């Protein structure tokens, strides 16, 4: 029952005072799919623009399969991140369109593959080769959400000309995602070259005083270039989702 | 010999001055079961309301078996936390009522399963599915101690309606245990909805700048809602024990 | 208009569908007092059991005065924490019953000074003399909320007999608040002596590797005694509020 | 000389091979105003969309005055952040349109006050009153850059209805800036309510285990809501600049 | 050649000026056994009272075997810490008296097993059972160095009577080594009971906000009891060596 | 009444069962001087070898004066650390023998100035001149407790010959206290030269990555020389007390 | 086309204005070898004095093989660090001169093995045996770059005479690389003995409060000896490269 | 007496065996000037190439004056860092050539102002204006030691063309000192442009997640460019001294 129907039923005398308040509260509950171990947010697509994305790490394989099945039946495009291949193996029999990308460790369904934002491109840029898995998580996320992505990999600041050579592509993009580990300097340098938002993703690539991504994280947060904001260490998905959101603005 | 008996023996001239002081001291020793590698606190149940609970991690399997056997023979309800299934395999032949819960990683005996606190309910709430093992440690602990537990799982703040839908159950509880990783925001939100104590359990679920639970821990300690206190990261047992203690108050 | 009145007006045809939904939403707004720089939560007392408490640090003196005036006119008992004497000087002309405690740095109104919880006592215990300001914040908070408080100060573990001498008073309490800086060991020791909840408050008293309260905070979070939970460093108010909440349970 | 002119001079035989390369290099230098202690980036407005913004902390008053004068003579709208009133006192004689906002600690010139982005609004939301100075830095920055700003202050999660009451305004905004200290939970909650980018600004408001903003910073980085990215602690300017950049996209 | 012999040869005209200085320098070199990958300090026993102790972690098995063989041939009592059983397997054929203790992960030779310090006893005390491996490293080290050791295990502060029951033994000791993880409170409590040095060894036993021993380390450094000093986390050997050194003083 | 008297009174029938137990408990209380804000441990001298030492920081001037007066009337030698001159000014009228040392920030009474440990010397060694205040706290503490102290200042490892020149004095000492900030390397170097206990005191002298003494603290905890243990940053008193304790052993 | 050729073509009228600017930009691109997942910096040797060095950790085996092949075909001397033997196994068939050093975990080609810097020697010094793998990475790097290296291993400060015995060799070196874990004191001591640059490499050798190399890192950064600078934890390559660079200066 | 003279006296029978060893040891002592609170290393100039530099912070004004006087009388060029103007005021009467630089907070004597290294230049580069005080400490240090210094200030990476415009000067330098706060990215970018050593100096300029220089420090340690090494936060002197040392190599 929609909110309006509840009210009409009430006006028609079919619901008591108590019942109408309970009915309105009950509506909240309906927007959730209860699996016991999970409460799926079935209102997420409407409210936030894309269905709930499943963070598979820390869930059992069985839980992931059950949650993803439910979502993939309801929505065309669905994403599970940090997913082992084992989940894919169990899911591919049930869900014919499910796909798996081992570099990005993503399991997904991409039935609706229309480009939603025309020529507006998201540039995904990495400092090194080791940052690629995180970058692919970002790129693939943005693509599943209907965006064109330009990958520009391994252009870290130790060889500035590699970056300058691709300045044109970078400046042409509508949003930049910069993925870098070690000292994370690339985010500031890119931020100083463009007039578009830069989403910085620190990675845990590095060793020693990198402290599992802390050095890149702090660098990026302290960027002297305006227009740079930061997501969690290794959080390619978050960057891809935010880039998609910004790319849709008009 | 009880303290009184010691004194009577003394008054009767059966004990010297030195002996009576030694005898009183000896009493302390008797309240401890000495296994060489462990000094079991046999006064704990009387003093603190429940027998010593065994933290199995860091002990050898053999040590766990020996300690748990001793306790399970003396008390009806006994708990071992962070226990491998291997301990259960060795114990189930010796101790017929021993049980094992693999989600909570708890080994326990629950002979006396009376409900001690009537309808007074403890709500155990998680932000996500990945927090469930910690939540189950809390819930099971509280149940073994004689409490009714209401499990409300996967109602994190990213989909507030999931939480609001269950506001009734939450407000009806006598104590709330909130289990959350990542940013741990759920504790503050629940704390703002109720007039009962909220025990917050940060979990190590997350990655990157989560730093193994540090982010949720700091969030919860800085909660802007009054009535929230915090236990150690992933310490489901501690939360369950404290919830049980509070639920008994009257 | 109460929710029921809204619905009745609706049923009577005085409100359109859109209007009734808007009216329900408007109700939320009414529970907030808008001062521009502050949105006072006027539903807090009903929802959480005590009016919103004002954290004065970080607010201008003028803001504090305005917020506290509004609350003190509406409620009998009101608390402002981390307050400078300057706020009191400006408030005492407007609000005749306002009081100030310089040790606890609290400004408050305590018109309704009835004891709500009979003989049930909250013990507030400190390890040292330097911890007293935090302890007083806790004690005064609990007293304003209608509780008996027993102060047991300077009984740190370096002289265990000082603590054991007062074991009787401690065990007689219904809830314990343990306030300690440096190594914070007192919380564990008290936790091992009682069967009631222990609320541990780490303080920033100490130097060097104390790191502004971090050592006591970590100690208390890692307490080997069950029944101990922790609030923020120097958060006497939080401990006092939670102790009052637990003391009311029955 | 523009790049093209250099090349034409070269083709015309007026420049040797060496000279033309030197001339192209010299162009870079021209885009910088050399003050000895500062190299002003006079290409910033063209390249990044707004002139260089002056971070006044750590510079002498004299240096700030000299840099700001140079920029305010060249551009209509200019911003200096973390500025003391002393800078304003020395500048107001030289620069008639200079303004100072003591809450935001900003010194600025706002000659061109046209709204550039129509009805597209930036919501600046705070958890508490103490977060307002940082929020004002963000709001004022966005306004000077030509945006409409909606201020929604003191709606932290401890009183969720305060936030829900303003849900309409928040969802109507094109971008949200969420400013919060303590546990920083507000960013996740707002992130879960909207389908627009959320820029989270952790503040150093709080005490103890807040560790000067670390708790809010980590919370926001670990937000379970997608679409949330983070800038440095207390960095209102960065958030305002990024919000303006996103608001201009179309 | 001893220093005196060098000088005599010089006086006798057998050495030039340059040669005598070189010869004195060469003496330093002789006190070192050069194995290429290791420079064994053969003067350590004379200078510091016990031969160089080998920290096996981080060395290859082959390196450990070669170093230990050289030392065990030269000295009666030799210690290798953090040693795998594999080293023992390879060494036992070469060195008939070599022994291995798997709990302490120590490989050692204990040919001279005389008690050097009469009845003067070192108490090695643990808070829990999980701390025993570190305690055994300390105890065994002290024993190999000729001391009587009294083991008092699992007497943590959560059950204070267990500790008080053994107060007599503890006060009778000449030095105390206190080994504790989690909150490490035991060091302060023991420190408050005795008038002898207490060597505190934090262990990495615990979880969550224990941060691999940091909580116990900070607790012990901040001990409110005088006479407590601290060694590295899990450094049983260091504590045992220091205790032996103190026990020899007279 | 002494324990024995209590028992005799009991045997003589002058005390009931309940009374005798209460009387024994009461004895604990008598060993404490209750000042309201402080519980002075009057058994400390007997139990731990020296009266309670007063940590003045964090206490009000009035509290310090009251506590120190009480102790100085009861004991010959009394120490207050981290004391401002203001305390001395108020105390010198009441307590004729009170002394103040501004370098060490110590207030003390040293009526009994006999040397207790003959020729056995404690060496107090600093790396730099800036470490002297902490060293003086250690040296003065040890002197008040009856020890000979040899001060060896400013012999840090950057000029090793300064240290080697005084090797004789250092090796002649019975205990060494090494006080060093910055990298704290001196503790390891001294530890490698002697066969006596080395008490390392990290200081907060330094800047930048010193992090208020953290670098020296970690260095000293990780010392590769055996026989080195560590006290809190800047804790000269703790080192002096422990050195005195060790120097008394025989 | 070289820059000059581009300009000549332009002057000759063969290139339009747009084309000449594009051509100059294109040159940047040519200095990069695009492998999709990697952008090899083929200008590095000319610009920085040695070809790009491949950090193999975090790359797939296939990526390493492809990148190293390309570089080894183009340059005589090439280095891959943190390389598994598996890379070597796949590469040795393709690249006849490839070599592998398992201690240093380096894969390399060393065709041009001329000594470039005559008798100027780089001393590589370790505190312990466990530091050797990092030291070998430094030594081998410097050797491949044409330098003489003197290895001086296991001369940590706990046995100072081991170091002093080799003072002559150390002072004779042109640059010193000091590799040390635990407390890292060796860097300061060596720094105090020489008038040449000291490059300090902290290692992660140690345990507990070593925190994976943090203690040595902080020690070395706080060195009281001038002339000491620091590279990342375990970064033998960086130290070797910098030592080679300094050794070439004249 | 020189070492040789000692030996000759010995050979001549003027010294006993014991005396000659004592005399050699005594020599060490002579190389130190004993001021009680300081042991001046008078061998430093010979051993390390420049007299001991005085770190004034943490010393009393009187101590600084006494130490600096002694050094300025003995040596032509002397440096005191982190010095207040007060020291200068007291010293200028005693030492006619003493100078003071308030930006660098350095007090110094620069009698011998010959250029020692010809045209070989040290470039001192800052990211921002706020980094200048640290840069001046480095530049002045290098100048007093006889070097030409090129200052290149405020060329941070947010406006890359500012840096590229000065690439020529930078590449012409023999050594680069890069001084940067915030994210410290400039060190990596400069490191990628040159084939000479880069000494990186992180500064504490910044706020929030800069954590007093930690972000720049970690960035620089994790630099992806080879040839970069790091000194302590704000340690301009250390960088200047090291740059001078490298600049002298030939």
């Amino acid at each position: 029952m929609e909110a309006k129907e509840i009210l009409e039923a009430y006006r028609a005398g079919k619901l008591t005072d108590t019942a109408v308040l309970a009915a309105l509260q009950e509506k909240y509950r309906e927007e959730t799919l209860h699996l016991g171990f999970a409460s799926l947010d079935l209102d997420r697509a409407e409210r936030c623009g894309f269905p709930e994305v499943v963070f598979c790490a820390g869930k059992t394989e069985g839980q992931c399969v059950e949650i993803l099945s439910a979502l993939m039946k309801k929505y065309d495009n669905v994403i599970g991140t940090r997913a082992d291949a084992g989940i894919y193996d169990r899911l591919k029999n049930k869900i014919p369109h499910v796909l798996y990308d081992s570099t990005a460790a993503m399991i997904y369904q991409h039935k609706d593959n229309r480009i939603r934002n025309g020529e507006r491109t998201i540039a995904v840029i990495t400092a090194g080769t080791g940052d690629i898995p995180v970058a692919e998580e970002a790129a693939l996320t943005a693509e599943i959400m209907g965006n064109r992505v330009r990958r520009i990999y391994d252009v870290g600041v130790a060889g500035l000309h590699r970056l300058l050579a691709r300045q044109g592509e970078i400046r042409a993009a509508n949003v930049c995602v910069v993925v870098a580990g070690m000292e994370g300097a690339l985010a500031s340098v890119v931020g100083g070259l463009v007039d578009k938002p830069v989403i910085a993703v620190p990675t845990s690539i590095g060793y020693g005083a990198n402290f599992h991504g802390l050095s890149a994280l702090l660098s990026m947060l302290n960027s002297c270039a305006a227009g740079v904001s930061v997501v969690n260490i290794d959080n390619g998905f978050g960057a891809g989702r935010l880039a998609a959101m910004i790319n849709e603005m008009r």
Side-chain angles (χ1 to χ4, degrees), chain A:
Chain A
M1 257 201 303
E2 287 306 294
K4 284 202 169 180
E5 293 175 295
I6 294 168
L7 291 170
E8 276 162 23
Y10 173 69
R11 190 195 280 183
K14 293 181 192 155
L15 291 173
T16 62
D17 285 4
T18 310
V20 72
L21 288 171
L24 286 167
Q25 166 117 357
E26 180 59 22
K27 261 196 57 57
Y28 282 136
R29 187 182 296 271
E30 282 170 14
E31 286 160 3
T32 310
L33 174 57
H34 293 279
L35 298 175
F37 55 83
S39 310
L40 291 186
D41 178 355
L42 300 184
D43 182 50
R44 186 80 54 100
E46 286 63 37
R47 201 174 68 247
C48 300
F50 194 83
E52 187 169 355
V53 167
V54 184
F55 176 67
C56 297
K59 297 191 177 70
T60 66
E61 233 174 58
Q63 291 171 336
C64 293
V65 166
E66 207 169 330
I67 296 171
L68 287 164
S69 302
L71 289 169
M72 287 178 175
K73 283 173 185 156
K74 184 169 167 67
Y75 299 105
D76 279 355
N77 292 4
V78 169
I79 294 175
T81 61
R82 314 249 161 164
D84 291 330
I87 301 171
Y88 174 67
D89 290 341
R90 289 170 61 168
L91 208 55
K92 67 187 169 191
N93 297 321
K94 297 185 178 180
I95 306 286
H97 290 89
V98 69
L99 294 168
Y100 185 69
D101 184 293
S102 63
T103 302
M106 271 173 65
I107 189 162
Y108 60 105
Q109 185 171 265
H110 192 180
K111 277 184 178 169
D112 173 357
N113 54 16
R114 285 170 298 179
I115 295 294
R116 297 173 58 172
N117 299 313
E119 294 306 309
R120 298 153 69 102
T121 302
I122 295 167
V124 177
I125 308 167
T126 76
T129 300
D131 302 313
I132 291 180
V134 175
E136 281 298 311
E137 193 184 81
L140 199 46
T141 295
E143 286 172 340
I144 295 170
M145 291 172 180
N147 298 279
R148 289 191 196 281
V149 172
R150 168 75 57 137
R151 287 160 173 83
I152 302 174
Y153 288 170
D154 195 25
V155 294
V157 300
L160 215 53
H161 65 91
R162 297 183 302 189
L163 179 69
L164 295 177
R166 308 193 70 172
Q167 207 175 337
E169 293 163 77
I170 292 171
R171 287 185 58 86
N174 203 39
V175 197
C176 293
V177 173
V178 176
V179 184
M182 296 181 175
E183 85 277 58
L186 187 60
S188 292
V189 173
V190 171
L193 292 176
V194 300
D195 60 351
K196 293 288 166 35
V198 172
I199 304 166
V201 191
T203 72
S204 52
I205 288 295
Y207 59 92
N210 168 287
F211 294 122
H212 309 294
L214 181 65
S215 63
L217 173 66
L218 293 183
S219 274
M220 289 168 166
L221 285 167
N222 285 282
S223 177
C224 56
V228 177
S229 65
V230 187
V231 296
N232 197 357
I233 297 165
D234 293 332
N235 186 6
F237 161 71
R241 175 74 193 98
L242 177 56
M245 216 176 237
I246 293 173
N247 208 33
E248 273 169 38
M249 302 192 82
R250 59 186 61 98

